[in-house]
Amino acid sequence: MNFITKLQDKALGQAPTSVPVQPRYDETRKHHAIIWRGVRHVEYVEKPMPLITDSRDILLKITATTICGSDLHLYNNTILDMHDGDIIGHEFMGIIQEKGEQVQKLHVGQRVVVAFAIACGTCDFCKREEYSCCDTTNPSRLMEQMYGQKTAGFYGYSHLTGGVPGGQAEYVRVPFADVNCLPIPDDIPDTKALFLSDIIPTSYHGCEIGNVKKDSVVAIWGLGPIGLLEARWCQILGAKRIIGIDCVPERLDIARKYLGIETINFKECDTTKKLLELVPNGVDCSLEAAGFDYAKSLLHKIERFLNLETDAGDILKEMILCTRKAGTISIIGVYNNTVNHFPIGPMMEKHLTVTGGQAYPQKYWKMCLEKIRSGEMDPTFVVSHHIKLSQAPDFYKKFDDKAHGALKCFIRPDDIAEGKQ
């Protein structure tokens, strides 16, 4: 499938963007980065140093980065249009090393976190604060052909979202820096601030579009970092009852012991039957935080293997059956393209609202930052490992295998971790 999409991408060419997607490079200077090489194969290598390419850019010295659960789709080569040598990673923060002459709100030496989605700040979508829908930063005509329109460009997340060099690296060039960087106050440590790049605003977004409010009864499919933080946001928003669904013992333990929510181990029972026993009329809000790779039924496993569908729909079916009439379903796990056997009849007749999409970090940042400062939101409970950038390839394997308690890592570039800078 990926081979075909690469041919399509090459044939279609690139659409114009408001800023160059690829930075200029200084070939005489090097930095380290994690690159994608193929199925379950990433490497720690030297790459040419990126440079400021547009007057609205900054050059960021990365001080912290991480590996997202959605990066496992890249690792397994199930996201369309990955290219050998792509620098991956979309969650990062750092210190501004240089800035372009049109950057107005930031200064050299400032500590900032960067949104995973690149917004121009001036298109109609950005003006409505729909930043991940920015109309001008993604050159992929392939996405335009597949989806009808393009999303924003995303760092380090395939050429379907622009082929933009990512942040599992020592340096990165950040376009439209005034729009896409959040200055971090001194009282917020990197170990908390880093996660404003994605998982804190993304988990909030899942609750916001999922209509979670006071006294809601909520079910969450997937208790990775996003699902666990969604559960915490549900508590902050006043949900009456929260039920988390997963099969990884360590994740179920965190959900029960740290958050105090109910859980279902889908390896031990039928999720639909069990959830409807717990909530006979169905839950108010169903939040999906798993993604397209996780087929449960033999039918979807076979159809994905034969490339008859790109995404598994088992979780979506469970959500539709387990949501009360006139309830809401939110989908923020990554999906590619098509799902077979979608239960559109139950969805329509039950009057369900089904919504999804990538978060708008820049819209939620200030509120999320205040929740961190107040202590209501502390993301560090999902961090299982502190590692150096050079150890990222090994963590990818542990994370994908769900081994050694791997849940979320906090990564320092090797020079910082070793005290050399």
Side-chain angles (χ1 to χ4, degrees):
M1 181 69 75
N2 228 325
F3 175 72
I4 295 171
T5 57
K6 285 178 188 175
L7 292 177
Q8 289 178 300
D9 186 34
K10 187 174 181 180
L12 290 167
Q14 294 195 331
T17 55
S18 53
V19 69
V21 171
Q22 293 296 324
R24 295 185 299 111
Y25 292 102
D26 181 349
E27 298 285 346
T28 67
R29 299 165 60 207
K30 305 291 183 182
H31 74 122
H32 291 96
I34 303 298
I35 63 168
W36 184 87
R37 299 306 311 272
V39 181
R40 292 176 62 85
H41 183 189
V42 297
E43 291 182 3
Y44 176 71
V45 301
E46 284 190 340
K47 297 287 282 185
M49 181 70 74
L51 300 173
I52 286 177
T53 306
D54 180 89
S55 59
R56 295 160 290 185
D57 294 350
I58 61 165
L59 178 66
L60 192 73
K61 163 63 178 171
I62 293 174
T63 57
T65 184
T66 185
I67 297 169
C68 184
S70 63
D71 288 331
L72 295 180
H73 302 308
L74 310 183
Y75 185 64
N76 286 291
N77 196 28
T78 52
I79 282 287
L80 302 178
D81 209 14
M82 287 296 295
H83 294 192
D84 185 14
D86 285 348
I87 299 175
I88 51 182
H90 57 272
E91 299 177 83
F92 55 91
M93 65 177 297
I95 305 294
I96 299 173
Q97 294 290 105
E98 301 174 21
K99 69 170 193 169
E101 60 186 20
Q102 290 192 54
V103 176
Q104 305 276 324
K105 301 177 183 178
L106 306 168
H107 59 80
V108 171
Q110 194 167 20
R111 188 169 63 119
V112 297
V113 70
V114 179
F116 70 87
I118 303 168
C120 71
T122 57
C123 72
D124 289 343
F125 294 94
C126 289
K127 288 176 181 177
R128 291 192 296 264
E129 298 187 297
E130 298 161 348
Y131 295 105
S132 63
C133 298
C134 177
D135 218 19
T136 74
T137 58
N138 181 359
S140 176
R141 292 192 190 276
L142 177 62
M143 177 180 270
E144 193 169 45
Q145 183 182 72
M146 289 171 57
Y147 293 6
Q149 298 85 31
K150 308 184 300 295
T151 65
F154 300 159
Y155 291 98
Y157 211 78
S158 92
H159 289 252
L160 201 65
T161 60
V164 183
Q168 287 169 20
E170 292 176 331
Y171 289 87
V172 68
R173 166 246 184 174
V174 178
F176 296 114
D178 281 335
V179 179
N180 297 305
C181 293
L182 174 69
I184 300 299
D186 291 341
D187 61 325
I188 305 296
D190 286 7
T191 49
K192 295 179 181 180
L194 169 63
F195 303 111
L196 287 162
S197 58
D198 181 359
I199 63 171
I200 293 176
T202 291
S203 54
Y204 177 79
H205 185 67
C207 296
E208 172 75 11
I209 64 175
N211 198 31
V212 176
K213 53 192 175 184
K214 188 175 182 343
D215 293 330
S216 292
V217 177
V218 185
I220 301 170
W221 274 258
L223 293 175
I226 292 287
L228 289 168
L229 289 185
E230 279 190 326
R232 180 64 194 127
W233 278 119
C234 287
Q235 293 173 331
I236 292 169
L237 292 167
K240 178 170 65 177
R241 194 174 178 191
I242 306 161
I243 303 164
I245 303 156
D246 209 299
C247 70
V248 180
E250 295 90 345
R251 300 179 183 195
L252 292 165
D253 282 347
I254 292 171
R256 285 192 299 265
K257 295 175 182 177
Y258 184 86
L259 295 172
I261 68 171
E262 299 172 70
T263 61
I264 293 172
N265 185 335
F266 67 76
K267 289 289 179 89
E268 296 178 352
C269 62
D270 179 277
T271 300
T272 302
K273 183 178 178 181
K274 181 65 175 178
L275 192 50
L276 290 176
E277 286 176 359
L278 293 172
V279 191
N281 291 323
V283 299
D284 300 311
C285 316
S286 289
L287 311 183
E288 187 278 334
F292 66 87
D293 267 333
Y294 305 107
K296 292 183 177 181
S297 66
L298 180 62
L299 178 61
H300 280 291
K301 289 177 181 177
I302 291 171
E303 291 187 338
R304 289 197 72 220
F305 178 76
L306 296 175
N307 286 326
L308 298 175
E309 65 177 3
T310 59
D311 305 352
D314 295 307
I315 290 173
L316 302 178
K317 181 179 179 182
E318 290 174 357
M319 295 173 78
I320 287 169
L321 295 179
C322 293
T323 306
R324 70 163 172 83
K325 292 174 285 186
T328 305
I329 292 172
S330 108
I331 303 168
I332 56 167
V334 173
Y335 281 77
N336 249 327
N337 196 15
T338 60
V339 170
N340 296 337
H341 318 293
F342 184 80
I344 192 167
M347 183 193 79
M348 177 266 169
E349 295 292 354
K350 289 177 67 177
H351 212 294
L352 300 179
T353 298
V354 180
T355 183
Q358 301 286 351
Y360 310 137
Q362 300 92 328
K363 178 179 180 179
Y364 305 134
W365 265 343
K366 290 183 180 178
M367 180 274 295
C368 291
L369 185 62
E370 287 310 309
K371 293 297 183 185
I372 292 175
R373 288 183 117 161
S374 72
E376 289 181 88
M377 171 55 70
D378 182 350
T380 58
F381 78 92
V382 303
V383 178
S384 59
H385 290 68
H386 288 251
I387 63 173
K388 298 186 294 187
L389 186 61
S390 61
Q391 297 170 318
D394 181 58
F395 186 83
Y396 263 100
K397 185 178 188 309
K398 290 177 182 176
F399 196 17
D400 191 49
D401 293 340
K402 297 178 174 61
H404 305 283
L407 178 60
K408 190 72 173 177
C409 61
F410 178 85
I411 302 175
R412 291 287 197 195
D414 288 42
D415 58 351
I416 296 176
E418 296 167 2
K420 295 175 182 176
Q421 280 201 8

